[in-house]
Amino acid sequence: MAATRTIGNRALYLRRRMANTIFITLSLSAAIFGLIWLGFILETLLSNGIAALGPHLFTEATPPPGEEGGLSNAIVGSLIMTIGAVVIGTPIGIYAGTYLAEYARYGRLSFVVRFVNDILLSAPSIVLGLFIYELVVRPMGHFSAFAGTLALAVIVIPVVVRTTENMLLLVPNGLREAAAALGAPQSFVIKLVTWKAAQAGMITGVLLAVARISGETAPLLFTALGNNSMSTDVTGPMASLPAVIFQFALSPYEDWHDLAWAGALLVTGTVLTLSIIARLLEKKQRN
Amino acid sequence: MTDITLTEPSALTARADSARKAGAGDTRFRITAFAAAMMVLLIFLGVIVALVSGAMPAFKAFGFGFFTTEAWRPSREIFGALGPIYGTLVSSAIAMVIAVPVGIGVAIFLTELCPRVLRRPIGIAIELLAGIPSIIYGIWGLFIFAPWFQLHVQEPVILATEGVPVLGTLFGGNAYGIGIFTAGLILSIMILPFISAVTRDVLETVPGVLKEASYGLGSTQWEVMWKVALPYARTGVVGGAMLALGRALGETMAVTFVIGNAHRIEPSLFAPGTSISAAIANEFTEATTELYTASLIELGLILFFITFIVLSCAQMMLRRMEKASGK
């Protein structure tokens, strides 16, 4: 009797230990699975992109197939629209985030705004592009960089709202109370004390938003469209790096593919650098 | 001793003035903040109104038949959403089947098993996957991954499952490289960091005492994770998965490159198909007629509706989790 019980127990222990080993191996391989893809993607980007890099990328506009050319119009277009979107989206995002954190933290209205903002944060960007198409492009009758900028701004706003609110919530209430006790009106408390305290975190939000829109393609396809020559006219169609990558990568021409890879490397480099800076800043804020 | 300095009347009014001005600035600031918050609501309502009004012609022309028609023939002005809806749902489902277990595995690895020194670098590396823009996944998927997948996975799998019931159908047909399965696979890589990040956050809220108690009873790591930590963090993990699902459903560029852009439903998962977002991205600027544009916008409306529901559920679960952990 006793002997069989010991054997039974040993089998049970063995089974449990085996299950444990399998589980540890599996979760280790899950992490490796993720890392392998990252390595695979970055390696292809570097090997294909570096070959196509060169000063001509920044000085020449996108060429017709078979000719030499660069990406200058796309780079300028992306810069103009990204900066425009940040200029429009950041103040709205910061004020809205401030409203949620400082004025109506527990209100029912804030609950709705917060909910809607989180939906917009994860909503498909292509749908936001359709919204701007209906709002701007259709009434104007033609594609324009202005519409592209607005589409990107709609993506910037929820990102900035969320980070601003989160960062303001980290500011200790003692600071607010101390400032209010000195007789500062609420707007002064916010502008001079809480915003100052949450500064690094709020900049993180803006950087994350820039990172997000730098690679954004879908909403630009039918707002800013694209442009094969250099243009700084915001009322007309404008090229952007992601849209050029899309157009060139799906073309049958070898030299267009090379430019697409070079553009892809530029975009990824920018986005990853921005996200890493943002991460460092956020860490600084939380400490 | 008591030396009270009286402020002159003129200085008093000046101070009252500045106080009044500050008060006015205070109100102005408050109103600006309120208006900005309302702007967020306005954008949301604007999206719905714009999509509904843009989709009206298609809704009038096809009614509910739009949802059940597979045919998509722009030349004859016949549009049906079934193909894109199918592609969106199936590619996202494939992505979830792969990414949920792997994402949870990564989170467990990072919170429990990984040596402390490696935790941050590996965590950041996984999260960088979320930072890579969608279009990069697309171009990589089309030029590098799809040919590799075609040669090393699709062809052997098609050969191996030939004649086997169910599997033979699911993995039948030709090896194109691109297709719904490829799209799902790339989506799974893209949403993996969302699942692992949320899971990691909620696993960290599991009280140490619970785990220690379980270890004290002699549990193995697997038992502690599977029977104590994960059940405790369940709501959060499901919320994170829903959030990732919302992303997968609406993902555009990566899918557009590799799904094949074919408006048809095939029994094989390897076959080319299309998704709602891919159809819009590919065809919107080519849509020449009013009805064509309206049909694409109605597709957008359907996508917005589906993601709205998924994301709402995700939010409710994550909020509940946050409340429970006392944040």
Side-chain angles (χ1 to χ4, degrees):
Chain A
M1 263 315 260
T4 47
R5 250 185 70 189
T6 332
I7 290 170
N9 276 347
R10 188 172 297 161
L12 178 67
Y13 282 131
L14 214 62
R15 209 167 53 236
R16 286 177 58 203
R17 198 177 302 162
M18 222 154 74
N20 193 43
T21 318
I22 293 174
F23 150 76
I24 289 182
T25 323
L26 280 181
S27 62
L28 177 68
S29 31
I32 294 173
F33 176 86
L35 294 179
I36 282 180
W37 294 122
L38 181 71
F40 195 1
I41 294 170
L42 292 183
E43 193 269 331
T44 356
L45 259 185
L46 286 176
S47 62
N48 286 292
I50 286 183
L53 276 187
H56 63 279
L57 287 182
F58 304 95
T59 54
E60 286 169 57
T62 45
E67 283 175 38
E68 292 274 301
L71 296 166
S72 64
N73 52 339
I75 295 173
V76 169
S78 274
L79 280 179
I80 292 177
M81 287 190 277
T82 307
I83 293 172
V86 170
V87 169
I88 298 172
T90 307
I92 298 177
I94 286 187
Y95 274 101
T98 306
Y99 179 79
L100 294 180
E102 301 287 337
Y103 283 110
R105 202 177 281 188
Y106 305 105
R108 193 167 296 167
L109 184 67
S110 304
F111 178 81
V112 176
V113 173
R114 216 169 271 138
F115 180 82
V116 163
N117 187 68
D118 282 357
I119 298 279
L120 287 177
L121 188 64
S122 301
S125 59
I126 193 157
V127 171
L128 303 178
L130 286 177
F131 161 56
I132 297 297
Y133 175 84
E134 284 290 315
L135 188 73
V136 182
V137 179
R138 203 196 276 267
M140 276 174 77
H142 57 86
F143 299 105
S144 68
F146 174 66
T149 309
L150 281 187
L152 294 180
V154 169
I155 300 171
V156 167
I157 292 172
V159 180
V160 177
V161 171
R162 175 105 316 272
T163 28
T164 303
E165 192 200 354
N166 282 350
M167 293 305 154
L168 289 177
L169 290 180
L170 288 179
V171 176
N173 263 334
L175 281 182
R176 296 189 184 94
E177 285 157 9
L182 288 174
Q186 197 170 5
S187 63
F188 281 47
V189 177
I190 293 169
K191 276 188 277 193
L192 301 176
V193 179
T194 40
W195 276 3
K196 271 261 162 62
Q199 207 172 28
M202 285 158 72
I203 296 173
T204 307
V206 179
L207 286 179
L208 284 178
V210 176
R212 175 96 189 267
I213 59 172
S214 314
E216 202 51 78
T217 320
L220 291 178
L221 295 176
F222 34 83
T223 50
L225 193 66
N227 194 336
N228 280 327
S229 48
M230 177 66 86
S231 162
T232 50
D233 174 19
V234 290
T235 57
M238 192 182 274
S240 63
L241 271 177
V244 166
I245 298 173
F246 181 58
Q247 185 198 348
F248 279 21
L250 288 179
S251 75
Y253 315 110
E254 231 7 87
D255 45 349
W256 274 18
H257 289 176
D258 288 343
L259 280 175
W261 279 114
L265 183 63
L266 286 180
V267 169
T268 315
T270 315
V271 172
L272 292 189
T273 314
L274 284 170
S275 349
I276 289 174
I277 298 176
R279 191 174 299 279
L280 293 177
L281 267 178
E282 193 190 355
K283 192 161 177 251
K284 192 178 148 205
Q285 176 75 50
R286 285 190 188 272
N287 284 343
Chain B
M1 215 31 218
T2 47
D3 195 350
I4 303 166
T5 43
L6 286 174
T7 324
E8 278 176 36
S10 64
L12 262 183
T13 40
R15 203 179 288 170
D17 253 11
S18 82
R20 208 171 299 127
K21 227 179 271 163
D26 208 44
T27 319
R28 208 168 329 127
F29 189 85
R30 193 193 168 94
I31 290 172
T32 315
F34 179 74
M38 288 305 103
M39 189 77 187
V40 174
L41 288 186
L42 213 61
I43 290 173
F44 181 75
L45 294 178
V47 171
I48 295 174
V49 170
L51 291 178
V52 169
S53 78
M56 250 330 150
F59 197 76
K60 278 186 189 137
F62 306 116
F64 283 102
F66 189 69
F67 299 93
T68 52
T69 311
E70 189 191 333
W72 184 273
R73 300 207 176 73
S75 52
R76 288 172 49 204
E77 298 237 295
I78 298 173
F79 300 102
L82 201 59
I85 294 177
Y86 170 84
T88 299
L89 296 181
V90 172
S91 60
S92 299
I94 294 171
M96 293 301 282
V97 167
I98 301 168
V100 168
V102 175
I104 293 177
V106 171
I108 291 178
F109 176 77
L110 286 173
T111 43
E112 297 292 322
L113 308 173
C114 186
R116 215 159 264 280
V117 216
L118 289 177
R119 253 176 223 189
R120 258 185 74 77
I122 295 183
I124 289 178
I126 297 283
E127 275 169 37
L128 281 187
L129 280 175
I132 295 176
S134 158
I135 187 150
I136 307 299
Y137 281 98
I139 180 172
W140 170 78
L142 179 66
F143 287 118
I144 312 292
F145 182 70
W148 178 87
F149 188 67
Q150 179 184 24
L151 200 63
H152 297 282
V153 180
Q154 283 189 335
E155 281 177 3
V157 167
I158 288 172
L159 278 180
T161 56
E162 210 174 359
V164 181
V166 186
L167 287 183
T169 323
L170 276 182
F171 300 110
N174 293 319
Y176 296 102
I178 54 175
I180 289 186
F181 193 87
T182 315
L185 202 55
I186 291 184
L187 280 178
S188 77
I189 304 171
M190 300 179 70
I191 61 173
L192 172 67
F194 290 99
I195 297 178
S196 69
V198 176
T199 308
R200 198 178 161 193
D201 285 348
V202 294
L203 280 182
E204 271 164 10
T205 64
V206 178
V209 188
L210 276 188
K211 288 189 276 183
E212 283 154 20
S214 179
Y215 279 123
L217 289 173
S219 300
T220 60
Q221 272 178 316
W222 155 251
E223 286 159 350
V224 173
M225 279 293 121
W226 191 247
K227 295 184 179 161
V228 179
L230 278 178
Y232 183 89
R234 196 174 41 211
T235 322
V237 174
V238 177
M242 301 281 269
L243 194 67
L245 176 61
R247 290 283 172 144
L249 290 166
E251 189 45 65
T252 307
M253 297 323 290
V255 174
T256 307
F257 272 92
V258 296
I259 201 164
N261 302 313
H263 280 271
R264 52 170 191 264
I265 300 175
E266 303 238 7
S268 169
L269 294 180
F270 285 162
T274 192
S275 76
I276 293 177
S277 50
I280 301 172
N282 260 314
E283 300 174 35
F284 201 82
T285 45
E286 292 165 13
T288 39
T289 63
E290 175 80 28
L291 195 57
Y292 197 172
T293 310
S295 300
L296 287 169
I297 294 180
E298 188 170 352
L299 279 183
L301 182 62
I302 297 171
L303 178 62
F304 191 64
F305 182 71
I306 300 175
T307 46
F308 177 78
I309 292 179
V310 170
L311 292 172
S312 307
C313 294
Q315 272 200 58
M316 267 164 359
M317 291 177 158
L318 291 174
R319 290 264 153 75
R320 202 189 313 161
M321 189 73 205
E322 248 174 44
K323 227 177 240 168
S325 72
K327 263 186 204 166

